[in-house]
Amino acid sequence: MKNVSIADYKVDKPLKLSQRATYEDFGATDKDLKKNLEKVRKALGDFQDTLYAHGKYAVLICIQGMDTAGKDSLIREVFKDFNARGVVVHSFKVPTELERQHDYLWRHYIALPAKGKFGVFNRTHYENVLVTRVHPEYILGEHIPNIHTVADIDQSFWEKRFEQINNFERHIAENGTLVFKFFLHLSKEEQRQRLLRRLELKEKNWKFSPGDLKERALWDRYQECYEEAINKTSKPSAPWYVLPADNKKAARLIFASIILQELIKYKDIEEPELDAKIKANLATYKLQLQKEEE
Protein backbone atom coordinates (compact mmCIF):
# COMPACT_ATOMS: atom_id res chain seq x y z
CA MET A 1 0.00 0.00 0.00
CA LYS A 2 1.10 3.57 -0.59
CA ASN A 3 2.51 5.74 2.17
CA VAL A 4 0.46 8.41 3.91
CA SER A 5 1.32 11.83 2.47
CA ILE A 6 0.80 14.77 4.82
CA ALA A 7 0.22 17.10 1.87
CA ASP A 8 -2.95 15.22 0.96
CA TYR A 9 -4.61 16.19 4.24
CA LYS A 10 -2.99 19.37 5.55
CA VAL A 11 -4.95 22.58 5.07
CA ASP A 12 -2.52 25.21 3.79
CA LYS A 13 -4.77 26.85 1.18
CA PRO A 14 -8.50 27.67 1.00
CA LEU A 15 -10.56 24.58 1.72
CA LYS A 16 -13.81 23.35 0.16
CA LEU A 17 -15.10 20.43 2.19
CA SER A 18 -17.37 19.33 -0.64
CA GLN A 19 -14.27 18.70 -2.73
CA ARG A 20 -12.52 16.58 -0.11
CA ALA A 21 -12.89 12.80 -0.13
CA THR A 22 -14.62 11.10 2.78
CA TYR A 23 -13.33 7.60 1.99
CA GLU A 24 -9.87 6.09 1.65
CA ASP A 25 -8.55 2.55 1.86
CA PHE A 26 -5.14 2.82 0.11
CA GLY A 27 -6.10 -0.29 -1.84
CA ALA A 28 -5.34 -2.31 1.28
CA THR A 29 -7.29 -4.89 3.27
CA ASP A 30 -8.55 -4.16 6.77
CA LYS A 31 -5.88 -6.56 8.05
CA ASP A 32 -3.10 -4.62 6.33
CA LEU A 33 -4.43 -1.29 7.59
CA LYS A 34 -4.52 -2.64 11.13
CA LYS A 35 -1.00 -4.07 10.83
CA ASN A 36 0.39 -0.76 9.60
CA LEU A 37 -1.35 1.11 12.41
CA GLU A 38 0.24 -1.20 14.97
CA LYS A 39 3.69 -0.27 13.68
CA VAL A 40 2.98 3.45 13.73
CA ARG A 41 1.40 3.52 17.15
CA LYS A 42 4.34 1.56 18.60
CA ALA A 43 6.70 4.21 17.17
CA LEU A 44 4.50 6.94 18.65
CA GLY A 45 4.63 5.25 22.06
CA ASP A 46 8.42 5.12 21.88
CA PHE A 47 8.51 8.79 20.85
CA GLN A 48 6.39 9.73 23.85
CA ASP A 49 8.97 8.15 26.17
CA THR A 50 11.65 10.34 24.58
CA LEU A 51 9.39 13.40 24.71
CA TYR A 52 8.91 12.85 28.44
CA ALA A 53 12.63 12.45 29.09
CA HIS A 54 13.40 15.54 27.01
CA GLY A 55 10.84 17.55 28.95
CA LYS A 56 10.65 20.70 26.82
CA TYR A 57 7.65 20.07 24.56
CA ALA A 58 4.04 19.06 25.03
CA VAL A 59 1.79 17.74 22.27
CA LEU A 60 -1.83 18.84 21.94
CA ILE A 61 -4.05 16.88 19.57
CA CYS A 62 -7.48 18.34 18.81
CA ILE A 63 -10.14 16.13 17.22
CA GLN A 64 -13.40 17.40 15.74
CA GLY A 65 -16.07 15.72 13.67
CA MET A 66 -19.79 15.22 13.29
CA ASP A 67 -21.59 12.70 15.50
CA THR A 68 -20.49 9.10 14.71
CA ALA A 69 -17.28 10.29 12.98
CA GLY A 70 -15.26 7.80 15.04
CA LYS A 71 -13.46 10.06 17.51
CA ASP A 72 -13.68 7.75 20.53
CA SER A 73 -12.58 4.57 18.74
CA LEU A 74 -9.76 6.44 17.00
CA ILE A 75 -8.38 7.61 20.34
CA ARG A 76 -8.71 4.12 21.82
CA GLU A 77 -6.90 2.41 18.93
CA VAL A 78 -4.12 4.92 18.25
CA PHE A 79 -2.89 5.45 21.82
CA LYS A 80 -2.87 1.81 22.95
CA ASP A 81 0.93 1.62 23.15
CA PHE A 82 1.40 4.80 25.19
CA ASN A 83 2.46 4.81 28.81
CA ALA A 84 -0.85 5.56 30.53
CA ARG A 85 0.78 8.50 32.32
CA GLY A 86 2.01 9.93 29.05
CA VAL A 87 -1.33 10.80 27.49
CA VAL A 88 -4.39 12.54 28.95
CA VAL A 89 -7.72 12.63 27.11
CA HIS A 90 -10.31 15.32 27.75
CA SER A 91 -13.84 15.00 26.36
CA PHE A 92 -15.50 18.39 26.51
CA LYS A 93 -19.26 18.30 27.04
CA VAL A 94 -21.76 21.09 27.67
CA PRO A 95 -20.02 23.68 29.91
CA THR A 96 -20.68 23.37 33.63
CA GLU A 97 -21.89 26.26 35.73
CA LEU A 98 -18.33 26.82 36.99
CA GLU A 99 -17.00 26.84 33.42
CA ARG A 100 -19.64 29.39 32.38
CA GLN A 101 -18.33 31.70 35.08
CA HIS A 102 -15.09 32.00 33.08
CA ASP A 103 -14.34 32.88 29.49
CA TYR A 104 -14.92 30.10 26.95
CA LEU A 105 -11.22 29.21 26.61
CA TRP A 106 -10.61 28.80 30.34
CA ARG A 107 -11.61 25.14 30.63
CA HIS A 108 -9.40 24.28 27.67
CA TYR A 109 -6.42 26.23 28.96
CA ILE A 110 -6.40 24.44 32.30
CA ALA A 111 -6.59 21.07 30.50
CA LEU A 112 -3.47 21.66 28.38
CA PRO A 113 -0.85 18.90 28.57
CA ALA A 114 2.23 19.34 30.71
CA LYS A 115 5.64 19.29 29.03
CA GLY A 116 6.60 15.76 28.13
CA LYS A 117 3.01 14.62 27.69
CA PHE A 118 0.36 14.25 25.00
CA GLY A 119 -3.01 15.85 25.54
CA VAL A 120 -5.99 14.83 23.42
CA PHE A 121 -9.06 17.06 23.19
CA ASN A 122 -12.07 14.99 22.06
CA ARG A 123 -14.21 17.89 20.88
CA THR A 124 -12.37 21.09 21.55
CA HIS A 125 -12.42 24.85 21.92
CA TYR A 126 -13.76 24.86 18.34
CA GLU A 127 -17.17 23.90 19.67
CA ASN A 128 -17.34 27.61 20.53
CA VAL A 129 -17.40 28.53 16.84
CA LEU A 130 -19.30 25.45 15.66
CA VAL A 131 -22.15 24.33 17.92
CA THR A 132 -22.63 27.86 19.23
CA ARG A 133 -22.68 29.20 15.71
CA VAL A 134 -25.34 26.75 14.60
CA HIS A 135 -27.18 27.47 17.87
CA PRO A 136 -26.23 31.10 18.69
CA GLU A 137 -28.71 31.16 21.56
CA TYR A 138 -26.15 29.12 23.53
CA ILE A 139 -23.88 32.18 23.57
CA LEU A 140 -26.35 33.99 25.82
CA GLY A 141 -25.45 31.54 28.60
CA GLU A 142 -21.88 32.86 28.57
CA HIS A 143 -23.01 36.19 30.06
CA ILE A 144 -20.79 38.28 27.78
CA PRO A 145 -20.95 42.08 28.20
CA ASN A 146 -23.04 43.80 25.50
CA ILE A 147 -24.47 40.50 24.22
CA HIS A 148 -28.12 40.60 25.27
CA THR A 149 -29.94 38.87 22.41
CA VAL A 150 -29.09 36.64 19.46
CA ALA A 151 -29.33 39.75 17.28
CA ASP A 152 -26.17 41.06 19.00
CA ILE A 153 -24.15 38.07 17.73
CA ASP A 154 -23.06 39.24 14.29
CA GLN A 155 -20.23 38.29 11.92
CA SER A 156 -17.80 40.58 13.73
CA PHE A 157 -18.42 38.54 16.90
CA TRP A 158 -17.31 35.36 15.14
CA GLU A 159 -14.34 37.06 13.50
CA LYS A 160 -13.20 38.15 16.94
CA ARG A 161 -13.54 34.59 18.21
CA PHE A 162 -11.42 33.25 15.35
CA GLU A 163 -8.79 35.82 16.25
CA GLN A 164 -8.89 34.87 19.92
CA ILE A 165 -8.51 31.17 19.09
CA ASN A 166 -5.59 31.89 16.77
CA ASN A 167 -3.93 33.97 19.49
CA PHE A 168 -4.50 31.20 22.07
CA GLU A 169 -2.93 28.56 19.83
CA ARG A 170 -0.04 30.78 18.79
CA HIS A 171 0.71 31.55 22.43
CA ILE A 172 0.87 27.91 23.52
CA ALA A 173 2.85 26.95 20.40
CA GLU A 174 5.44 29.63 21.11
CA ASN A 175 5.81 28.19 24.60
CA GLY A 176 6.52 24.61 23.58
CA THR A 177 3.17 22.97 22.80
CA LEU A 178 3.04 21.25 19.42
CA VAL A 179 -0.52 21.63 18.12
CA PHE A 180 -2.28 19.24 15.73
CA LYS A 181 -5.92 19.71 14.72
CA PHE A 182 -7.90 17.00 12.93
CA PHE A 183 -11.33 17.12 11.31
CA LEU A 184 -12.80 13.67 10.68
CA HIS A 185 -14.61 14.27 7.39
CA LEU A 186 -17.63 11.98 7.35
CA SER A 187 -20.21 11.67 4.57
CA LYS A 188 -23.87 12.21 5.42
CA GLU A 189 -24.75 8.73 4.12
CA GLU A 190 -22.11 7.06 6.28
CA GLN A 191 -23.45 8.90 9.32
CA ARG A 192 -26.94 7.60 8.47
CA GLN A 193 -25.63 4.05 8.36
CA ARG A 194 -23.79 4.42 11.67
CA LEU A 195 -26.84 5.89 13.39
CA LEU A 196 -28.90 2.97 12.10
CA ARG A 197 -26.37 0.54 13.57
CA ARG A 198 -26.76 2.24 16.92
CA LEU A 199 -30.47 1.52 16.74
CA GLU A 200 -30.18 -2.01 15.36
CA LEU A 201 -27.44 -3.35 17.65
CA LYS A 202 -28.55 -3.68 21.25
CA GLU A 203 -25.04 -3.17 22.61
CA LYS A 204 -24.86 0.19 20.80
CA ASN A 205 -28.32 1.50 21.75
CA TRP A 206 -26.88 3.48 24.63
CA LYS A 207 -24.96 5.67 22.17
CA PHE A 208 -28.11 6.90 20.46
CA SER A 209 -29.94 10.09 21.37
CA PRO A 210 -32.91 11.67 19.58
CA GLY A 211 -30.79 14.81 19.62
CA ASP A 212 -28.51 13.15 17.08
CA LEU A 213 -31.30 13.36 14.51
CA LYS A 214 -32.02 17.00 15.31
CA GLU A 215 -28.37 17.88 14.75
CA ARG A 216 -28.26 15.75 11.60
CA ALA A 217 -31.06 17.88 10.16
CA LEU A 218 -28.60 20.81 10.40
CA TRP A 219 -25.88 18.95 8.48
CA ASP A 220 -25.37 21.59 5.77
CA ARG A 221 -25.09 24.39 8.30
CA TYR A 222 -22.50 22.46 10.28
CA GLN A 223 -20.48 21.85 7.12
CA GLU A 224 -20.48 25.59 6.37
CA CYS A 225 -19.34 26.41 9.89
CA TYR A 226 -16.60 23.76 9.87
CA GLU A 227 -15.32 24.99 6.53
CA GLU A 228 -15.08 28.59 7.67
CA ALA A 229 -13.57 27.73 11.05
CA ILE A 230 -10.89 25.55 9.44
CA ASN A 231 -10.07 28.16 6.81
CA LYS A 232 -9.82 30.95 9.40
CA THR A 233 -7.67 29.02 11.88
CA SER A 234 -5.33 26.69 9.98
CA LYS A 235 -1.97 28.33 10.67
CA PRO A 236 1.64 27.09 10.38
CA SER A 237 1.95 26.83 14.15
CA ALA A 238 -1.41 25.06 14.53
CA PRO A 239 -2.48 23.46 11.24
CA TRP A 240 -5.67 21.60 10.44
CA TYR A 241 -5.72 18.19 8.77
CA VAL A 242 -8.91 16.97 7.08
CA LEU A 243 -9.11 13.17 7.17
CA PRO A 244 -11.55 10.96 5.23
CA ALA A 245 -13.53 9.25 7.99
CA ASP A 246 -15.93 6.85 6.26
CA ASN A 247 -13.34 4.06 6.65
CA LYS A 248 -12.38 4.04 10.32
CA LYS A 249 -9.32 1.83 9.96
CA ALA A 250 -7.79 4.04 7.26
CA ALA A 251 -8.64 7.21 9.19
CA ARG A 252 -6.79 5.89 12.25
CA LEU A 253 -3.72 5.05 10.18
CA ILE A 254 -3.70 8.46 8.49
CA PHE A 255 -4.13 10.23 11.83
CA ALA A 256 -1.30 8.33 13.54
CA SER A 257 1.02 8.56 10.53
CA ILE A 258 0.66 12.34 10.26
CA ILE A 259 1.45 12.83 13.94
CA LEU A 260 4.51 10.59 13.78
CA GLN A 261 5.84 12.12 10.53
CA GLU A 262 5.48 15.62 11.91
CA LEU A 263 6.97 14.86 15.33
CA ILE A 264 10.13 13.18 14.07
CA LYS A 265 10.98 16.44 12.29
CA TYR A 266 11.90 17.85 15.71
CA LYS A 267 15.50 16.68 15.83
CA ASP A 268 16.12 18.39 19.16
CA ILE A 269 13.72 16.01 20.92
CA GLU A 270 16.06 13.36 22.26
CA GLU A 271 16.85 11.67 25.52
CA PRO A 272 19.12 13.82 27.71
CA GLU A 273 22.72 12.86 28.33
CA LEU A 274 23.56 11.46 31.74
CA ASP A 275 25.41 13.73 34.11
CA ALA A 276 29.12 13.26 33.38
CA LYS A 277 29.90 12.22 36.95
CA ILE A 278 27.15 9.58 36.98
CA LYS A 279 28.17 8.32 33.56
CA ALA A 280 31.77 7.93 34.68
CA ASN A 281 30.69 5.76 37.62
CA LEU A 282 28.22 3.44 35.90
CA ALA A 283 30.56 0.47 36.31
CA THR A 284 30.82 1.17 40.05
CA TYR A 285 27.04 1.29 40.46
CA LYS A 286 26.68 -1.93 38.49
CA LEU A 287 29.27 -3.68 40.65
CA GLN A 288 27.52 -2.48 43.79
CA LEU A 289 24.25 -4.08 42.67
CA GLN A 290 25.96 -7.29 41.57
CA LYS A 291 27.56 -7.69 44.99
CA GLU A 292 24.12 -7.72 46.60
CA GLU A 293 23.61 -11.19 45.07
CA GLU A 294 26.54 -12.49 47.07
Side-chain angles (χ1 to χ4, degrees):
M1 60 176 283
K2 68 176 183 179
N3 293 327
V4 173
S5 172
I6 292 174
D8 291 339
Y9 310 103
K10 191 172 186 178
V11 179
D12 52 12
K13 59 185 176 182
L15 166 77
K16 289 290 292 181
L17 280 177
S18 61
Q19 297 174 2
R20 289 293 187 109
T22 61
Y23 183 87
E24 175 62 81
D25 62 14
F26 299 108
T29 64
D30 285 353
K31 184 177 180 180
D32 286 338
L33 291 170
K34 183 178 180 181
K35 186 176 180 180
N36 277 273
L37 174 61
E38 289 171 354
K39 293 178 182 177
V40 176
R41 74 185 184 203
K42 173 66 168 59
L44 277 174
D46 291 342
F47 183 92
Q48 194 280 318
D49 287 339
T50 303
L51 183 85
Y52 181 83
H54 183 250
K56 293 186 178 179
Y57 291 97
V59 177
L60 174 63
I61 298 170
C62 301
I63 307 173
Q64 286 286 158
M66 298 292 285
D67 290 333
T68 77
K71 298 180 290 293
D72 292 339
S73 62
L74 179 146
I75 293 168
R76 182 186 68 238
E77 294 300 322
V78 170
F79 297 101
K80 275 185 175 179
D81 291 321
F82 274 56
N83 184 315
R85 294 184 297 177
V87 58
V88 181
V89 179
H90 294 274
S91 296
F92 293 100
K93 307 296 184 181
V94 175
T96 65
E97 188 55 39
L98 173 62
E99 290 167 346
R100 286 196 184 97
Q101 292 172 12
H102 296 80
D103 72 273
Y104 71 94
L105 287 173
W106 176 77
R107 65 174 181 161
H108 304 285
Y109 198 98
I110 63 174
L112 289 172
K115 290 180 189 280
K117 293 191 175 185
F118 278 62
V120 181
F121 285 2
N122 181 357
R123 297 192 183 274
T124 72
H125 44 294
Y126 283 93
E127 294 289 285
N128 299 285
V129 289
L130 293 167
V131 174
T132 54
R133 196 158 188 199
V134 176
H135 299 283
E137 65 274 15
Y138 294 172
I139 293 291
L140 303 181
E142 296 183 21
H143 308 298
I144 301 172
N146 301 318
I147 300 294
H148 308 294
T149 68
V150 169
D152 296 323
I153 307 169
D154 56 13
Q155 181 61 26
S156 65
F157 175 89
W158 300 112
E159 294 293 341
K160 176 60 73 173
R161 273 221 164 165
F162 292 137
E163 180 184 0
Q164 291 165 349
I165 288 172
N166 282 329
N167 288 339
F168 164 67
E169 292 174 350
R170 182 171 59 252
H171 168 72
I172 63 174
E174 289 174 350
N175 285 275
T177 297
L178 309 179
V179 183
F180 299 87
K181 301 178 298 191
F182 295 91
F183 173 57
L184 302 185
H185 189 26
L186 186 74
S187 69
K188 192 174 184 181
E189 172 58 19
E190 180 62 21
Q191 188 195 58
R192 186 178 76 87
Q193 294 294 337
R194 292 182 185 181
L195 287 171
L196 279 172
R197 283 196 289 275
R198 288 184 178 182
L199 293 170
E200 293 167 350
L201 299 176
K202 185 176 179 180
E203 65 271 19
K204 293 186 180 293
N205 286 171
W206 66 273
K207 290 186 174 183
F208 181 79
S209 165
D212 296 339
L213 299 183
K214 292 180 180 178
E215 294 301 288
R216 177 174 166 78
L218 299 168
W219 180 277
D220 290 342
R221 180 58 179 149
Y222 270 107
Q223 296 300 299
E224 292 171 1
C225 293
Y226 265 111
E227 185 171 288
E228 183 172 10
I230 291 170
N231 280 324
K232 292 289 178 71
T233 61
S234 192
K235 305 296 181 182
S237 60
W240 275 100
Y241 303 87
V242 175
L243 310 188
D246 285 2
N247 182 343
K248 288 186 178 182
K249 289 182 173 60
R252 295 165 189 164
L253 176 60
I254 296 167
F255 173 86
S257 297
I258 288 173
I259 296 170
L260 180 61
Q261 289 179 42
E262 292 286 18
L263 288 177
I264 61 178
K265 293 177 182 178
Y266 290 84
K267 302 302 182 184
D268 59 323
I269 299 178
E270 55 186 6
E271 293 178 0
E273 286 284 338
L274 272 176
D275 176 83
K277 186 175 180 180
I278 296 176
K279 192 172 183 179
N281 287 282
L282 287 180
T284 301
Y285 304 139
K286 182 179 179 180
L287 181 61
Q288 181 178 337
L289 289 168
Q290 289 173 335
K291 284 184 176 180
E292 290 184 9
E293 291 183 342
E294 300 171 2

